[in-house]
Amino acid sequence: MAYDYYSGGAETMTTVALNRAAFSRYLLLPRMLRDVSRVDTSHELFGIRSSMPVWVAPMAMHGLADPVGREVATCRAAAACGVPFTFSTVATSSLEEIEGTGNANRIFQLYVIRNRDVVRRWVTEAEARGFRALMVTVDAQRLGNREADARNKFKLPPGLALRNLEYLSSGSTAQARDAADGSGLMALFASEVDDSLTWEFIPWLRSITRLPIIVKLAVQYGVDGIVVSNHGGRQLDFAPDGLAVLPGVVAAVAGRVPVLVDGGVRRGTDVLKALALGASGVLLGRPVLYGLALGGQAGVERVLRLLRNEIELAMALAGCVSLKDVGLHLLLPVPGSGV
Ligand code: FMN
């Protein structure tokens, strides 16, 4: 049940496959005879520093991978590797526990539920507890049709709770645990998440917080950053992969705010390609959960270190000394791949 939930996506899973395939549309053209004895992978966005141009993506329910460590273990691993951690609304740890991890670079991901008093409470509390930014997810007013979860009657195992949703009096955590049939998560989304949400929400959010607002897409509503994402292929099946639309988004944004991208990033070369196409950074999803399932905090640290080493080596081999050297000149579109 947990593996299907983590690895799966919507319906035919075409978008899940596209996310990986996208990176194969580009080859890398290295530059030679550059002094790469010291390669600097360090990165900063919104004042949030990272040891590499990668943040941990918001992902629900880390307790399915590591029932003891949960998001706390992931957040600690990210801290040990100098990587920012995004904490999902649908987490199995509390805001207080995450504050206690010692990771100074924490972002709170917001699913907008109908109950705006609780939304306000999350935002205020995240700000008070030292979270550095808000990431508003706007592609999940309804949950995608994840058929494996419905078949498995996906539910939250005993001993875990959706701590942020405990602020609701409606017993939503119980709903995720006890859906009569079908996916418990689907039942929870249908009852709590605001499917009437529009852009008018953004100015409201701006009025209640000083934190940077990142939308996981809209400069005109006063956001501070954008994540180009298809939710790891878990929402609209046949949504395009991030790389396909990234150059258009970057051109439209024209440098006004940073543009991140996610989906299918697995290798250091993937990160280079995303940056070369104009991304300001990438989010890393499933590999983090797989590391957590296999080795708890140490497993997540290993995943992040492997990726950082790959980025560093790829930069050296491509002749890039710092992230500023990564650009479109490195890319050779594969002939016939449509780019
Ligand atoms: N995105 C959110 O904004 N909020 C979530 O709670 C959330 N939960 C997720 C749970 C799982 C198991 C996975 C795999 C993804 C989830 N996502 C969520 C999407 C990720 O933030 C991210 O966009 C995606 O996983 C990136 O693709 P990748 O897994 O191929 O790296």
Side-chain angles (χ1 to χ4, degrees), residues 58 135-139 214-217 226-227 229 231 262 283:
M135 191 182 288
V136 186
T137 300
V138 296
D139 65 355
I214 306 166
V215 174
K216 216 177 151 217
L217 295 158
I226 293 172
V227 183
S229 174
H231 213 115
D262 75 8
L283 307 185

Side-chain angles (χ1 to χ4, degrees), residues 36 137 164 187 224 235 243 268 283:
V36 290
T137 300
N164 295 322
D224 303 295
Q235 288 297 103
L243 290 197
L283 307 185

Side-chain angles (χ1 to χ4, degrees), residues 21-108:
F23 290 98
S24 301
R25 295 198 298 261
Y26 296 95
L27 304 178
L28 288 166
L29 278 176
R31 296 297 185 274
M32 301 302 163
L33 295 177
R34 297 270 169 91
D35 177 356
V36 290
S37 54
R38 295 169 77 166
V39 171
D40 178 13
T41 62
S42 67
H43 178 255
E44 181 176 338
L45 276 182
F46 316 104
I48 302 172
R49 298 176 68 89
S50 181
S51 61
M52 58 177 161
V54 178
W55 293 2
V56 174
M59 287 177 290
M61 296 185 265
H62 292 207
L64 295 174
D66 177 353
V68 178
R70 299 166 286 120
E71 289 78 5
V72 171
T74 312
C75 190
R76 285 209 173 107
C81 298
V83 171
F85 168 78
T86 317
F87 179 59
S88 168
T89 299
V90 194
T92 46
S93 309
S94 65
L95 283 154
E96 185 180 8
E97 286 176 303
I98 295 302
E99 182 186 13
T101 58
N103 188 342
N105 292 325
R106 291 170 270 122
I107 298 104
F108 181 67

